[in-house]
Amino acid sequence: MSAKIPIFQSLVFLFYRFILRRYRNPKPKYQKSPSSLLQSDLSRDTLIFNVEGALLKSSSLFPYFMLVAFEAGGVIRSFLLFILYPLISLMSHEMALKVMVLVSFFGVKKDGFRAGRAVLPKYFLEDVGFEMFQVLKRGGKRIGVSDVLPQVMIEGFLREYLEIEVVVGREMKVVGGYYLGILEDKTKHDLVFDELVRKERLNNGRVIGITSFNTSLHRYLFSQFCQEIYFVKKSDKRSWQTLPRNQYPKPLIFHDGRLAIKPTLMNTLVLFMWGPFAVVAAAARLFISLCIPYSFSIPILCYFGCRLTVDHQYVSSHQKSSNSSKRKGILFVCNHRTLLDPLYVGFALKENNIKTVTYSLSRVSEILAPIKTVRLTRDRVSDGQAMSKLLTEGDLVVCPEGTTCREPYMLRFSPLFTEVSDVIVPVAMTTDATFFYGTTASGLKAFDPLFFLMDPYPSYTVRFLDAVSGATCQDPDGKLKFEVANNVQSKIGKALDYECTNLTRKDKYLILAGNNGVVKKN
């Protein structure tokens, strides 16, 4: 009985589409280019646009499926997709899509799949055409539709970053909480689209469709509902500009994933060719940093591609103050880029007895760390005492953000560091990633330094700023410590041209990993 219901729904849908609509709906007006919509008032209109055909500049969807395969499935799965792609390119459009979905999603746990929200939005945003975005921004209501990309790949990007009200993508079959890598029948997708647009047409009146000649969606759906249809040509896309970062409706502050490069076909080829050399380079760099004294390891690491740029004027002044202060070490406060931040501060100072504190660092990283690391307990009193004790033993590096941030933003500084030292030296740090990011929110943190060292040219820039006074004096209202923390944050942000925010570690991990960011001890 249950098997007959979908068949009955399909028959009703086909009857409604080809028989009733032919007489009830007027033939739509076909337009050449959507650029003319910039001169129209669209505030009361509903804009239905095809995601891959009208919004994204690139015509290839391979990089997005490669991102899913690599980030959600691992290196073996992504390599399989890569070697199959020449064969996939010879298939029909629908069959090629099915194979890429199968390879990318088969066996991936549904509840654990976060690439759609944490990884893909960055690359989708970098592929949005600015001219098309300006058109969509003028619409009263926007509906993003894809007859190619699965719903889980595009929904987070469209809803959360482009503020698109409704998203209709392809659904995938799930068994036992795992994706089968098989798309649901297209008729179900069409039924959802049919019901959705009929409601919009009744509520708002005019419905405008924007698609391309290369997609089949307009042939049997757009022409049934839209009074006007605008087509995007390949030549139009080539002339589009990329959506600037300052035009994002919601700023991209957090994103996850190991790949720092968009995995186009050529980039993926280069990435896999570099892979064996990357493992050797990371092992050699790790051995040098762990086993050779700083005075010798710095030039050797430079020879092996690790770059360090230091503002020497500030370094020399800090070294002098360090030599003259025998009672207490200097507190260096830096923004957090990777787990190697304290190590590179030590490299910049040419000091191997520098210490650092951490809230949640894997045991593997603690064991391999060439400097002393002390795990804090999140108890304010005991953590303050621990930091004060470390300062009596020498210089201390802290990262008050509590977590790393890849983009040019500063997270809120925890004020605890202001209460343990009279003199605080802000340190502005930047790092560049070529192939891999040396940070993760949902992956294994023990591999973070290794991925950083696997880059062809892992680089750091360390800049020491003028020292500021701490909040160790009597402060009955407790306001001074926050003022000092905000002052240090703003100084570093100004030096780096980063925007200061009130976001915290918890905000980052809730967005990217769905947890509070506490790493279990192992």
Side-chain angles (χ1 to χ4, degrees):
M1 182 65 183
S2 60
K4 296 180 180 179
I5 294 177
I7 298 175
F8 178 74
Q9 288 179 341
S10 301
L11 292 175
V12 172
F13 172 72
L14 293 173
F15 177 77
Y16 181 80
R17 183 199 298 172
F18 293 107
I19 305 298
L20 297 181
R21 289 298 177 85
R22 181 174 297 179
Y23 299 100
R24 293 180 60 183
N25 295 338
K27 188 176 180 180
K29 296 180 181 179
Y30 293 94
Q31 309 290 341
K32 290 184 178 180
S33 174
S35 59
S36 59
L37 289 173
L38 290 172
Q39 310 301 325
S40 305
D41 181 14
L42 306 175
S43 59
R44 297 183 179 180
D45 299 329
T46 298
L47 303 184
I48 306 176
F49 65 94
N50 181 258
V51 177
E52 62 277 2
L55 178 66
L56 303 180
K57 292 180 59 179
S58 175
S59 59
S60 174
L61 299 178
F62 170 79
Y64 305 111
F65 286 104
M66 176 57 69
L67 282 166
V68 173
F70 186 90
E71 304 294 354
V75 177
I76 296 177
R77 186 191 296 263
S78 58
F79 184 71
L80 177 62
L81 178 61
F82 174 71
I83 61 175
L84 287 177
Y85 190 71
L87 179 62
I88 293 173
S89 62
L90 300 176
M91 300 177 182
S92 65
H93 180 74
E94 183 70 15
M95 182 57 67
L97 166 68
K98 291 180 178 179
V99 174
M100 287 195 292
V101 171
L102 178 64
V103 176
S104 302
F105 281 93
F106 178 76
V108 174
K109 192 174 182 179
K110 181 181 178 181
D111 292 341
F113 181 78
R114 305 194 65 84
R117 291 189 59 192
V119 179
L120 293 175
K122 173 185 182 295
Y123 298 94
F124 277 133
L125 284 168
E126 293 173 351
D127 199 19
V128 171
F130 181 47
E131 289 76 2
M132 180 54 60
F133 174 75
Q134 287 181 308
V135 172
L136 295 178
K137 192 166 60 172
R138 300 170 63 88
K141 189 168 186 178
R142 289 78 53 87
I143 301 177
V145 184
S146 175
D147 58 343
V148 174
L149 294 170
Q151 182 90 0
V152 293
M153 289 180 64
I154 61 174
E155 187 166 20
F157 151 65
L158 292 175
R159 285 186 182 273
E160 297 179 19
Y161 290 94
L162 291 191
E163 298 178 347
I164 302 302
E165 293 83 355
V166 182
V167 179
V168 182
R170 299 286 293 273
E171 295 290 348
M172 289 190 295
K173 295 183 178 180
V174 179
V175 174
Y178 291 86
Y179 289 116
L180 290 181
I182 300 175
L183 294 170
E184 293 282 2
D185 188 75
K186 216 170 184 181
T187 304
K188 183 177 179 180
H189 173 268
D190 296 348
L191 283 168
V192 173
F193 183 86
D194 178 279
E195 181 68 20
L196 176 68
V197 181
R198 277 196 291 116
K199 290 180 180 179
E200 291 302 321
R201 187 167 186 174
L202 291 173
N203 293 336
N204 298 326
R206 192 168 67 151
V207 178
I208 299 174
I210 307 175
T211 183
S212 72
F213 288 105
N214 300 322
T215 59
S216 59
L217 192 63
H218 68 276
R219 298 174 188 169
Y220 61 95
L221 288 180
F222 277 40
S223 59
Q224 301 295 324
F225 305 106
C226 302
Q227 286 81 15
E228 297 179 16
I229 300 179
Y230 292 80
F231 291 98
V232 177
K233 301 178 183 177
K234 285 186 176 181
S235 57
D236 296 332
K237 290 189 173 186
R238 284 194 291 268
S239 64
W240 283 356
Q241 300 178 23
T242 302
L243 179 64
R245 292 183 62 93
N246 60 5
Q247 295 291 325
Y248 290 177
K250 176 183 176 182
L252 180 71
I253 299 176
F254 301 126
H255 59 85
D256 204 12
R258 292 294 190 184
L259 292 182
I261 188 172
K262 185 177 180 180
T264 61
L265 188 62
M266 185 57 65
N267 287 344
T268 305
L269 174 61
V270 174
L271 191 66
F272 282 119
M273 290 177 64
W274 168 247
F277 299 99
V279 174
V280 175
R285 292 162 177 170
L286 184 63
F287 174 81
I288 293 169
S289 61
L290 292 177
C291 302
I292 299 179
Y294 277 22
S295 56
F296 296 102
S297 64
I298 293 175
I300 297 175
L301 287 173
C302 184
Y303 177 79
F304 277 89
C306 295
R307 299 174 179 176
L308 172 62
T309 304
V310 184
D311 191 325
H312 293 284
Q313 179 181 356
Y314 287 106
V315 173
S316 60
S317 64
H318 294 325
Q319 285 177 332
K320 290 178 182 178
S321 63
S322 177
N323 293 332
S324 62
S325 178
K326 297 180 180 180
R327 294 182 179 178
K328 202 170 186 180
I330 296 178
L331 179 63
F332 295 96
V333 177
C334 60
N335 59 307
H336 206 3
R337 305 304 286 179
T338 77
L339 293 177
L340 300 178
D341 292 340
L343 181 62
Y344 272 88
V345 172
F347 282 150
L349 296 171
K350 297 181 180 179
E351 182 181 341
N352 58 2
N353 63 343
I354 202 166
K355 302 169 184 64
T356 188
V357 293
T358 178
Y359 280 112
S360 55
L361 187 68
S362 68
R363 289 300 184 192
V364 176
S365 298
E366 286 182 329
I367 294 171
L368 293 178
I371 61 176
K372 183 178 179 180
T373 63
V374 176
R375 186 186 291 258
L376 300 181
T377 62
R378 299 187 185 275
D379 179 77
R380 187 174 192 82
V381 176
S382 61
D383 289 346
Q385 293 174 349
M387 292 171 64
S388 297
K389 181 180 178 182
L390 289 172
L391 279 170
T392 61
E393 301 172 0
D395 295 343
L396 177 65
V397 179
V398 298
C399 302
E401 287 176 291
T403 187
T404 57
C405 185
R406 299 172 176 176
E407 297 301 317
Y409 295 93
M410 297 282 293
L411 306 187
R412 190 176 71 192
F413 275 22
S414 172
L416 178 60
F417 71 92
T418 67
E419 303 176 56
V420 299
S421 178
D422 293 325
V423 180
I424 299 169
V425 178
V427 185
M429 309 190 73
T430 58
T431 181
D432 296 321
T434 306
F435 287 160
F436 306 106
Y437 285 116
T439 61
T440 183
S442 56
L444 294 175
K445 292 184 178 297
F447 291 155
D448 286 0
L450 296 179
F451 272 97
F452 177 81
L453 295 174
M454 284 171 63
D455 250 16
Y457 299 102
S459 63
Y460 252 94
T461 300
V462 180
R463 180 182 178 186
F464 295 91
L465 308 179
D466 292 330
V468 300
S469 299
T472 56
C473 60
Q474 206 142 23
D475 182 24
D477 296 329
K479 294 182 179 179
L480 183 58
K481 61 184 179 184
F482 292 103
E483 293 175 0
V484 173
N486 292 337
N487 181 36
V488 174
Q489 182 201 42
S490 63
K491 281 183 175 292
I492 297 176
K494 185 177 180 180
L496 297 174
D497 197 22
Y498 284 6
E499 182 178 341
C500 296
T501 73
N502 285 322
L503 297 172
T504 64
R505 171 193 180 89
K506 185 177 180 180
D507 295 322
K508 170 186 171 179
Y509 279 88
L510 286 175
I511 293 172
L512 299 183
N515 58 54
N516 61 3
V518 177
V519 177
K520 295 180 179 179
K521 298 179 181 181
N522 50 36

